[in-house]
């Protein structure tokens, strides 16, 4: 996942894979700039810089043995790094 923004300098994310009932499913694992918290991947405390094409967040997901329909949800957040939500942009 790549988060980019024309003016904001830092980035964050929240990534999850859920069943239709809202339970976490499969196994998420961090590769770069992420940590696993409560079954979801979130950015590390030190938000990575947005440079060039953006801030990369790399993860893997191992599907469960049982086939089914699963929802991958990923939210990117470009931030101004002022410590509060004012002026940040998520999508």
């Amino acid at each position: 996942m790549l988060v980019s923004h024309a003016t904001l300098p830092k980035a964050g994310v929240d990534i999850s894979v859920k069943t239709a009932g809202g339970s976490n499913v499969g196994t998420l694992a961090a590769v770069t700039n992420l940590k696993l918290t409560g079954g979801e991947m979130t950015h590390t405390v030190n938000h990575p810089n947005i440079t060039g094409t953006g801030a990369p967040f790399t993860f893997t997901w191992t599907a469960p043995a049982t086939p089914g329909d699963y929802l991958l949800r990923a939210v990117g957040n470009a931030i101004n790094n002022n410590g509060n939500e004012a002026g940040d942009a998520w999508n």
Side-chain angles (χ1 to χ4, degrees), residues 34-85:
L34 293 167
K35 63 183 177 181
L36 187 63
T37 304
E40 298 185 12
M41 300 300 302
T42 59
H43 52 274
T44 56
V45 174
N46 298 319
H47 297 81
N49 292 322
I50 296 175
T51 59
T53 59
F57 295 91
T58 307
F59 66 96
T60 62
W61 178 68
T62 304
T66 305
D69 293 328
Y70 307 116
L71 173 66
L72 170 67
R73 181 183 63 98
V75 178
N77 187 20
I79 65 169
N80 57 15
N81 210 32
N82 69 358
N84 64 53
E85 295 177 10

